[in-house]
Amino acid sequence: VISKYFPTVDTEVALRRPILFSEWLKNRYVSVDQEDLRKHVVSRLHTFNEEELDVKLVIFDEVLAHILRIDRVLRQPLGHLLLVGASGSGKTILSKFVSWMNGMKVFQLKVHKHYSTNDFDEDLRGVLIRAGCKHEQICFIFDESNVLDTAFLERMNALLASGEVPGLFEDSDYKNLMQECKDMGRKEGEILGSDEERYKRFCGYVQRNLHIVFTMNPSNEDFDNRSATSPALFNRCVIDWFGEWSEKALYQVGFDFTRTLDLGDSVDGVMDDDVKIGMLEARAGSQRDSVVHTMVYIHDSVQNAMVKLAKARNGRATFVTPRHYLDFIKHYKILFLEKREEFEEQQMHLRSGLKKLEQTEDIVERMR
């Protein structure tokens, strides 16, 4: 069809996957090469780890796509996100990273066992004042584990729907808000007559500067009821479904986390020097390739077994998440290093014993 109606188009280039668009490489929104984008993101990630949060993050193919989706939404006015994915899939850390890339401040609730609705209101007032009066670009990351009371979600639902929370600013809080608006107006040379005009302008700045990112786990029992109880979560937010990691993603993560282990990169005794600096793929047929493929197979096997167990128990089972896979790799690395140390120690004792035997043999020969 393309060749028929667009004969001058190079179909191999036009239909090449993945299709990625970004402003990060050329300061304009254009199609970018996946590997060029990955190099840029990895470079920025090193700076992010030094300045903000030191965390191990593998930039595999699916992560690149999620990063661009989050970036595209956060750049838009009234850009809010609903990230849905299993625990450990990277929803929060990717939101923090993209917010940092766009020069935004990140805000998260510090929930404790005595955290109440009044505490939530106080935190919410502080965030809205920063966004509406001080004009700070803020990314408010709100995890479903923070919903200690249904009132929390009701307030966030109202904030998404109208840019304000009814009853949040009353009496002295309202007076303080108006004073903040007056002070900022004087600095910027704005002349607003009534408090009603100031409040309306305040709500406009909140909608412009505050970006809310909800993170949810589809395995949570309340997930199915969210659309009914909080319609603005789905109507006002762009939904990015992380889903399960594909086999390719699992392989790329496994390869990156075992990159420092001496697993062997040769095939039939031939060593490829480019393997260790390759992006996220071991040489086919090498021992490293076999080990990583085995990790993926074990993870998929456990996941399939849990699905069968859930059916046998009428839905009650343990969910296998990317976090379990990362823990599995972590324990493998620990066990690998422990066994390697044991074998090296045994090898050292064996060599020492053989050396003693050789020395004894020489002494006996001289005595003859």
Side-chain angles (χ1 to χ4, degrees), residues 148-164:
L148 304 182
D149 191 307
T150 55
F152 291 13
L153 213 51
E154 291 172 3
R155 283 160 171 73
M156 297 302 293
N157 190 63
L159 181 60
L160 284 173
S162 61
E164 61 175 325

Side-chain angles (χ1 to χ4, degrees), residues 28-273:
R28 54 195 179 93
Y29 198 66
V30 294
S31 177
V32 293
D33 179 72
Q34 185 179 57
E35 295 307 322
D36 291 341
L37 179 64
R38 195 197 312 273
K39 291 176 183 177
H40 175 77
V41 171
V42 169
S43 174
R44 298 296 292 157
L45 183 61
H46 289 321
T47 308
F48 175 75
N49 290 337
E50 293 173 358
E51 296 182 359
E52 297 293 327
L53 184 65
D54 189 9
V55 63
K56 176 66 175 177
L57 183 62
V58 182
I59 309 298
F60 55 91
D61 296 350
E62 294 173 14
V63 162
L64 278 177
H66 288 302
I67 285 176
L68 292 186
R69 289 179 195 137
I70 295 172
D71 175 67
R72 187 160 52 245
V73 175
L74 293 185
R75 286 174 179 269
Q76 298 173 2
L78 302 175
H80 307 297
L81 275 161
L82 173 59
L83 305 182
V84 184
S87 174
S89 57
K91 303 183 296 295
T92 301
I93 186 60
L94 289 183
S95 301
K96 289 182 178 180
F97 175 61
V98 176
S99 299
W100 174 80
M101 289 275 283
N102 288 313
M104 295 181 181
K105 303 290 184 181
V106 174
F107 178 80
Q108 287 180 282
L109 297 177
K110 296 180 180 179
V111 179
H112 48 81
K113 63 179 180 179
H114 300 300
Y115 195 83
S116 65
T117 306
N118 292 332
D119 296 322
F120 179 71
D121 288 345
E122 189 64 32
D123 285 336
L124 202 53
R125 277 191 287 267
V127 172
L128 297 184
I129 288 174
R130 288 171 58 189
C133 296
K134 300 179 182 178
H135 303 174
E136 292 184 29
Q137 291 280 332
I138 300 176
C139 177
F140 184 2
I141 302 177
F142 190 81
D143 187 72
E144 64 179 349
S145 62
N146 299 145
V147 185
L148 304 182
D149 191 307
T150 55
F152 291 13
L153 213 51
E154 291 172 3
R155 283 160 171 73
M156 297 302 293
N157 190 63
L159 181 60
L160 284 173
S162 61
E164 61 175 325
V165 180
L168 186 64
F169 291 97
E170 292 183 338
D171 301 330
S172 61
D173 294 322
Y174 185 77
K175 292 179 181 178
N176 293 335
L177 173 64
M178 290 299 102
Q179 188 59 45
E180 290 278 358
C181 292
K182 289 177 183 178
D183 293 341
M184 183 56 65
R186 290 194 194 99
K187 292 180 181 179
E188 297 182 353
E190 296 177 352
I191 301 176
L192 296 174
S194 65
D195 288 347
E196 184 178 350
E197 290 178 348
R198 293 191 185 95
Y199 186 73
K200 185 177 180 180
R201 193 171 185 83
F202 163 77
C203 293
Y205 277 117
V206 168
Q207 291 180 309
R208 185 185 308 171
N209 296 326
L210 182 62
H211 301 272
I212 302 173
V213 178
F214 292 92
T215 58
M216 292 187 176
N217 190 336
S219 62
N220 192 298
E221 295 179 356
D222 296 330
F223 179 75
D224 294 337
N225 301 324
R226 298 295 189 201
S227 59
T229 58
S230 304
L233 285 181
F234 297 88
N235 297 336
R236 304 283 178 151
C237 294
V238 176
I239 302 175
D240 186 8
W241 192 281
F242 278 60
E244 300 291 340
W245 283 1
S246 65
E247 287 192 6
K248 184 178 181 181
L250 293 171
Y251 180 91
Q252 291 178 329
V253 172
F255 171 79
D256 194 76
F257 272 86
T258 59
R259 193 194 294 262
T260 57
L261 300 181
D262 185 16
L263 294 177
D265 295 296
S266 62
V267 178
D268 297 331
V270 178
M271 182 68 183
D272 189 349
D273 294 334

Side-chain angles (χ1 to χ4, degrees), residues 271-317:
M271 182 68 183
D272 189 349
D273 294 334
D274 293 334
V275 170
K276 290 186 178 180
I277 61 174
M279 290 314 297
L280 289 170
E281 187 175 356
R283 189 179 182 189
S286 65
Q287 184 173 330
R288 185 183 304 278
D289 181 64
S290 300
V291 169
V292 177
H293 273 300
T294 303
M295 288 179 173
V296 176
Y297 173 77
I298 292 174
H299 178 77
D300 286 341
S301 300
V302 174
Q303 197 167 33
N304 293 333
M306 289 298 102
V307 171
K308 293 179 181 178
L309 190 62
K311 293 179 180 179
R313 294 182 175 180
N314 297 322
R316 293 182 294 106

Side-chain angles (χ1 to χ4, degrees), residues 337-350:
L337 295 174
E338 287 179 355
K339 292 299 180 182
R340 184 184 181 90
E341 188 176 352
E342 289 178 12
F343 290 146
E344 287 178 347
E345 187 176 354
Q346 292 175 8
Q347 187 181 44
M348 184 183 66
H349 287 307
L350 181 60

